Structures are given as C-alpha cells and as structure tokens.
Amino acid sequence: MNSSPRLLIGLKIIGLALLYAGLAKLVLAYFSDRGNVTLIWFPAGLGLAAMLLDAKHNWAGILLGAFCAGLLVGDSWTISACIAAGNTLESWLGAWLLLGNPGFSIKLRHPRDFAWLAATGTVTACFSALIGPMSLLLGGYLTLGQLFPSMLHWWMADVFGIALVTPCILIWRKWPTGWFIVKRLPETAAFLALSFFSGQTVFLGWFPSVSGHYARGYWTFLFVVWAAARFGRHGVILLICMTAVQSLWGLERQIGLFANGDLQSGLLNIWLYLLVLASVGIPLALMLYDREQKAQALQESENRLSFALQTIDTGAWDMDLETEAVLRTPIHDRIFGYDFLLATWNYQAFLGHVVPEHRDSVDNDFRRAGRKRSNWNFECRIRRVDGEIRWIRGSGRHHSLYPRMTGIIQDVTAQKLADENRQLAMLFYQNCNEAMMITEVDATIISVNPAFSEITGYSAGDVIGKNASILGSGRHDSAFFQDMWQTIVSLGQWRGEIWNRRKNGELYVEQLSINTVFDANGLPLRRIGLFFDITQRKLNEEQLRKQAYFDPLTGIGNRRMFCDRLDQEIKKAHRSGLFLALLLVDIDKFKDVNERLGYTAGDHVLREAAQRILRSVRETDVVARMDGVEFALLLTDLEKIDHIERIAGTISQKLGEPFAFDEQPLDLQLHCRIGIAVCPDDAGEAGRLQQAAAQALKKCRASGYAFAGVRDAM
C-alpha cells in the first residue's frame, strides 16, 4: 500500500540529484578557471530551497547530486564525498536555522525574511567554504597559498547562489496573479520584452550604435524599479535572474559590460553588480508590496466599518475643532432628513437642528468636553429638515495628535419609544388591579405583580421559582388540567374559570386567561397568566339563580325550575325508553291551619311538609312548589309503574303524621290529593302532561291519589 508514495519520493530524490549535478557541472564547466572553485554557485541556492520545502527527504538528493557533480569534474570519490557532505551540511543547517526562526517566513513577503535568508546564507556558507577547499588541499588540487583565496571565492559563490536562486524558487513556485489579464497584458509584454532587449544590449552587445558606452550599467536599475513598482517580488526576481543569465553569458563570450578578459574579475564584478541590483530591487518591491497590503487592509477595514455602520444604521463624522467643519458619511445627513450628502456641514448646522429645549445642554457638554479633551456623549431631540421630531444619540472622541474629534451618531427614536412603551407596560403591570403572573414554559413562576399578592396572599418571594400549581385548590381533577394544557399547547392560550386556594387556605374562584409569548423562531418563550377574583360575583350569581329557580319559603324548586326540568326529562325519557311520572300534590284545607295557628306556624308547617315530600323520593327526582299549597314531583327513569303508587302512598302517609312548632306538638293532621300522569302513556309533551296530571288531581274527591289513565283512585 505504501509502494506508490515511496516510489514518488525516490523519483523526487533522483530528479533533485540530477538537477543539482547538472547545474553544478554547468557552472564548473563555464565559470571556473580551476575546475572546482568559482564565484557563481547556483546549486547552493537550489539545495537550501529544497531543504526549506522538504528537509526530510531532499537532503539525500542534495548529497547524491553534489557527489555526482564532483565525479563529473574528475574529482576522486573521496574528495567528491567530502565536498558533497559540506554542501549538504550547508543546506541542512541553513534550513534548520531559518525554519526554527519565528521571525522568518518561507513566503518571503517582508524585507526581514530576505535579511534573515541573506544572514543565514552568509553563516552557513562558511561550512561549505571550509570543508570544500580543505578537501581539495588534502587531495592535492590546491596549494597552501591558494587555500584562503579559494575559501573566500567558495564562500562568495555560495552566498551568491543562496541570495539569487533560493528566493527565485521560493517565490516562483507560485505563479503570479494578474500578470496576464487582458487589461495588464500590454504592460506585461512590454516589461518582458524591453527588459530582455535591454539586457541583451548591455551584457551581450546588441545594438552597439544605439547603446554606446554611456551609463549602460544603470539601465537595468530602471527596469528593476519598474518591476518592483508594478510586478512585485516576482518581477524583481525574474529580472535579476534574467540579468544574471545574460551577464554570465556575455562574460563567457567576452562581450558586453563585463568582458575584460579575466574570468575571475568578471565574475566578481557580476557578483557585486547583482548584489547591488538585488539590494535595490528586492527591498523596494517588498516595501511597495507592504504598502499595498496595508492600503488594502485599510480599505478592507474601512469597508467593514462602513458595512457595520450601515448595518446598524449609524452615521460617522469627523470634526476639525479649529474651524468646526465636519466630514461625515451619507447616513449622518440622512438622519437629519437630507436625501443626499450636503456639500458642507459644521457644528453650528448640527446645533441648529437640535430642539431649543435641548440646545443649551448639548452645547455646554460639547464645550466642556473640548476644554477637558474628554469624550463627548449626547442624547437629544432634533427637528429634521422635513419638520419631523426625532431622538438622536451620539458620541465623539478627541484625536491624540490633531485638534480633531471623531464620532458616530444614531437615530434612536424607535428605541426611545420602545423604552417609553416598556415603562408604560411596567407601570401598568405594577398598578393593574388584575393579578398578573409570568412563568416559564413549564409553569415555573418568574414574576408576579402586586395585585397577585393582594388576591392570593402570596408575596413575590413566596412563589418565584415555584410551579404555578402551588395555588391549586384540589377541586379540579387531572382531566381538567390535561384538557387545559392541551389547549394551551395547541392554541397558545386558554380562558376559563378555575378554583384556587389563597395562602391562608381560603378557596376562591378566578377568571383566568393564559397567553403564550413566542420567540423569533416561533417557539414558546413565556406564558402570561392574567386573573381576577370572581368569588363574590359567583356568589351573587348563585343567589340570583336561587331566587330565580327556588322557592324562598321552602327552599325547594319553584315553578320556573320545574318547567325547565320537565322539558329536559321528557326528552330524556323519549331517548331512554323509560317512564316519567308527573305528580301534582295538593294539601286540603290549609287555609284553616293559617287561621287557627297563625301564619308563622302555617309557614313552618308548609316548610316541614315540603321536606317530608322531598324525603319521600330519590335524589334524582324533582320536587317543586308550584303555588300556595300545591307541589309537583317528577319521578324519572322509571322501569315500572308500580313504583309510582308506592311513592304516592308514602307521601300521603308522611303528610298525615303529626307536626310540631317550637318543640310543641300541634293538634294538626294534613290530608292531600295527588294527581298522576305518566309519560309517554298519558302524554308525550310537557303541557299535555301537566293537563293530564291536573285532570287526575280533580278526580281525587278525598285524600288519596288518582292516575290520568284508566286506573283506580286510592
């Protein structure tokens, strides 16, 4: 599985070795007068660049390439191995020093990166310059007198190679952007063509009648400035490499600027010339690049600031404190109602928009901030150019070096209105007569108003953090609350009456409304409960209901209640198929009781009679006082008629028993007549059933009961 990566690494090492050996052979063949020592050693730059890019594997390629280069020029394998070791050590040590330096970047985008590269190359070249000539001395290729000049030349050659080739490889491994776009293509073509022909003219003797001998060595500096200004690091390095190739080619052919017949002297001149050219071009290119990057960063910062100000709808301004003239953004003028940026603006124009009641305060704060050189913060109302009154808020800060103040301004009308609304809402919340309770979604109480405490008896500290069930009365079953919460979850609200318990244990009934507050994503956020005590109202309603449906003397139902129940029970009997009996009970000669015993005793007897009738029937049956001494009974859900006769007999018996008043027995025995009608046998409608019972009552001439149908009266 790892064979393919290993093969690629092997091919990479072999390729680097071949390139290193070929470049070394080229330099030693054409630019060395003794076969081993030269002032131009391009492989040193290749080796350092390769180690910076991949020191883990490339050292083997450098070692192999340097060894092969020695063999190619006729050195013994021992000397070749020693020189190869020195060259490899030089590249390895240089890469180790540079990569371990936090101030150095392999991208070479700052002058300090080139400074560190040159300084490191100057130091590490000493190792190769020591090992190489010493190996040649020991091998008999150099004499002792030639040793120190050879070391110097060796060191100069390596420094030259590192300073020229290493930056070229590191920079040009990434192709320049923007050179060949349509609008820059003519300039790129002109730069490449003119710089090439200039080099050919200066270093290879082209067009001697045009160039002559006047300042030919300085022409290249014009192009290096052009390259630095318009094509950056790539352009400068390309021009220096082109100049190096052309000057070396001219030296080899003994034509051009550096043709003086002496190879070592020519190489030294080229070395110095390219060193000066690089010292001018590279720092200039990097300074311009750094300036461009800072300008671009400043522009991006301004764009981000402008975007941020537009996003929050904030205007920016800058005031000259001596003239009080103000520079500002379009949003600034838009806040004051202008559709476009005015040509001029000053502090007095701003102050003219401030409403009179705020003007003096704002101006005094501004003057005070100017005297103390402190920040100026203001909030005031302004009248826009269209006459609309708005609230604004702003701040300014003094410049540390110049008499200027810079700041921002915002229209905060919406915030002020929101604050007012919140204050009104809080005022309403605190002073509302209705109790309010705010809870989490799970009914945990987080806030209550004073009315809540007045109604429930619980203070805020008693309930905050607890579940709203603390108010529960126990009168509602779980099904009630399940239905309530199902409605809240599905509809977001619920309204109804509910029994709760005060802190002192007293029960009360409240009218409760629960509403849900949702967040921006539509998820439940809070629930607000609004309620008020309706206990007294419910008592009043109960009292009215009793007055409307119950007889005030006996406490049993009256005619109105009886008629309502009669209709309901008839419908129920039709649905169930069971019998319904209507009994009309009339007490005979009760007028004599009132005359003999008095109305107070008579009322007491009548109440007792009603209770005896009520105790004679089931709880599901209906008993009502129709009028005077006439009572009506509804016997419901009857399966047999026989039960009716038994109940009628019981009523007659109970009413015939003795009565007492104030614990004194009364010489009194009541007799009653009972008329009975059965639904559906006698009638299936309320009015007819009452008529049938009345007809049956008339048939009773004495105490007893009678049916409306064909039955014997008792």
Side-chain angles (χ1 to χ4, degrees), residues 42 67 136 265 339 354 395 425 437 478 548 564 567 587 612:
F42 296 139
F67 178 76
L136 293 176
S265 175
D339 296 332
V354 179
S395 63
M437 175 177 61
S478 59
D564 290 345
D567 288 333
I587 299 177
R612 292 182 181 184

Side-chain angles (χ1 to χ4, degrees), residues 472-651:
S473 65
R475 295 193 57 171
H476 302 286
D477 57 15
S478 59
F480 172 84
F481 290 105
Q482 185 176 357
D483 292 341
M484 181 182 75
W485 279 106
Q486 184 176 359
T487 302
I488 293 174
V489 171
S490 60
L491 302 180
Q493 59 183 357
W494 181 86
R495 181 180 178 87
E497 296 178 0
I498 187 171
W499 283 89
N500 275 334
R501 191 180 298 275
R502 305 186 206 275
K503 185 177 182 180
N504 60 10
E506 179 184 349
L507 292 176
Y508 70 98
V509 62
E510 65 184 37
Q511 180 70 47
L512 173 63
S513 296
I514 299 177
N515 291 279
T516 304
V517 178
F518 297 92
D519 62 14
N521 298 319
L523 299 176
L525 181 64
R526 298 282 189 272
R527 303 201 195 277
I528 299 177
L530 175 68
F531 64 89
F532 51 91
D533 189 346
I534 60 170
T535 306
Q536 189 59 46
R537 192 188 78 185
K538 295 297 289 185
L539 292 175
N540 294 338
E541 290 176 354
E542 182 65 19
Q543 184 66 29
L544 292 174
R545 190 181 72 84
K546 287 184 177 181
Q547 292 176 1
Y549 286 96
F550 290 88
D551 178 56
L553 177 62
T554 62
I556 63 176
N558 59 14
R559 180 185 294 273
R560 182 175 181 180
M561 186 272 286
F562 179 80
C563 292
D564 290 345
R565 289 294 303 273
L566 178 60
D567 288 333
Q568 297 174 14
E569 295 298 334
I570 289 176
K571 294 177 181 178
K572 182 179 176 182
H574 288 317
R575 290 193 302 268
S576 65
L578 299 177
F579 294 104
L580 170 68
L582 169 59
L583 284 68
L584 294 180
V585 180
D586 184 53
I587 299 177
D588 292 335
K589 300 178 181 181
F590 195 81
K591 182 178 179 182
D592 296 339
V593 176
N594 287 330
E595 291 176 353
R596 184 162 57 90
L597 300 177
Y599 285 98
T600 302
D603 291 342
H604 172 74
V605 171
L606 195 58
R607 284 193 294 270
E608 178 63 25
Q611 292 302 313
R612 292 182 181 184
I613 295 173
L614 192 62
R615 289 193 295 268
S616 301
V617 298
R618 301 166 299 175
E619 291 183 358
T620 57
D621 297 332
V622 179
V623 178
R625 182 187 177 196
M626 302 297 286
D627 189 18
V629 293
E630 183 178 309
F631 296 87
L633 289 76
L634 284 178
L635 307 181
T636 62
D637 300 329
L638 298 175
E639 297 181 356
K640 297 180 180 181
I641 303 299
D642 298 343
H643 296 306
I644 302 174
E645 297 184 36
R646 180 178 57 80
I647 293 173
T650 301
I651 292 173

Side-chain angles (χ1 to χ4, degrees), residues 48 116 182 302 359 367 451 454 471 565 618 637 652 678:
L48 180 57
W116 280 115
V182 176
E302 291 178 352
R359 191 172 299 159
R367 302 301 175 187
E454 293 178 6
L471 304 174
R565 289 294 303 273
R618 301 166 299 175
D637 300 329
S652 297
V678 179

Side-chain angles (χ1 to χ4, degrees), residues 49 53 105-110 113-114 117 163-177 179 231-238 240 282 285-286:
L53 295 175
S105 173
I106 196 174
K107 296 180 180 179
L108 302 181
R109 291 182 175 177
H110 196 275
D113 298 329
F114 282 88
L117 178 63
L164 181 66
V165 178
T166 301
C168 181
I169 295 174
L170 294 179
I171 290 175
W172 273 90
R173 65 194 177 99
K174 290 188 177 180
W175 196 256
T177 58
W179 279 32
F231 298 96
R233 302 170 302 156
H234 289 80
V236 171
I237 293 297
L238 177 63
I240 293 174
I282 292 176
L286 292 176

Side-chain angles (χ1 to χ4, degrees), residues 108-350:
L108 302 181
R109 291 182 175 177
H110 196 275
R112 68 170 179 270
D113 298 329
F114 282 88
W116 280 115
L117 178 63
T120 304
T122 302
V123 173
T124 57
C126 296
F127 292 89
S128 178
L130 177 63
I131 296 174
M134 288 296 296
S135 300
L136 293 176
L137 176 65
L138 295 176
Y141 289 90
L142 293 177
T143 64
L144 186 61
Q146 296 173 328
L147 177 63
F148 291 103
S150 296
M151 285 183 177
L152 177 62
H153 291 170
W154 198 295
W155 175 83
M156 292 175 63
D158 283 9
V159 171
F160 180 83
I162 291 172
L164 181 66
V165 178
T166 301
C168 181
I169 295 174
L170 294 179
I171 290 175
W172 273 90
R173 65 194 177 99
K174 290 188 177 180
W175 196 256
T177 58
W179 279 32
F180 301 104
I181 60 177
V182 176
K183 65 179 182 179
R184 289 204 64 189
L185 191 59
E187 182 184 8
T188 302
F191 167 72
L192 295 176
L194 291 176
S195 59
F196 173 77
F197 283 109
S198 172
Q200 293 294 102
T201 301
V202 173
F203 304 112
L204 289 169
W206 284 19
F207 311 112
S209 60
V210 175
S211 63
H213 297 280
Y214 299 102
R216 288 189 301 168
Y218 296 96
W219 289 14
T220 308
F221 287 89
L222 298 177
F223 290 97
V224 83
V225 172
W226 186 5
R230 298 294 296 165
F231 298 96
R233 302 170 302 156
H234 289 80
V236 171
I237 293 297
L238 177 63
L239 181 65
I240 293 174
C241 291
M242 186 187 303
T243 302
V245 172
Q246 290 173 323
S247 61
L248 290 173
W249 189 10
L251 177 62
E252 193 273 335
R253 297 178 59 187
Q254 285 298 306
I255 56 176
L257 181 64
F258 298 110
N260 56 5
D262 183 4
L263 179 63
Q264 292 297 324
S265 175
L267 288 174
L268 180 60
N269 288 332
I270 292 175
W271 192 92
L272 294 172
Y273 183 83
L274 293 177
L275 178 64
V276 173
L277 189 66
S279 300
V280 172
I282 292 176
L284 178 60
L286 292 176
M287 286 188 294
L288 293 175
Y289 175 79
D290 185 63
R291 181 179 178 183
E292 180 183 353
Q293 292 297 307
K294 290 181 179 179
Q296 183 177 354
L298 179 60
Q299 183 63 43
E300 292 177 354
S301 177
E302 291 178 352
N303 293 338
R304 288 193 296 268
L305 177 60
S306 177
F307 174 77
L309 292 174
Q310 291 178 5
T311 301
I312 62 176
D313 201 22
T314 300
W317 52 270
D318 182 83
M319 181 190 302
D320 186 331
L321 295 177
E322 294 180 350
T323 64
E324 295 188 350
V326 180
L327 301 175
R328 65 263 178 241
T329 61
I331 296 179
H332 174 283
D333 287 13
R334 195 182 311 142
I335 290 174
F336 290 89
Y338 298 98
D339 296 332
F340 52 88
L341 190 65
L342 298 181
T344 59
W345 185 270
N346 55 34
Y347 174 71
Q348 295 302 322
F350 158 76

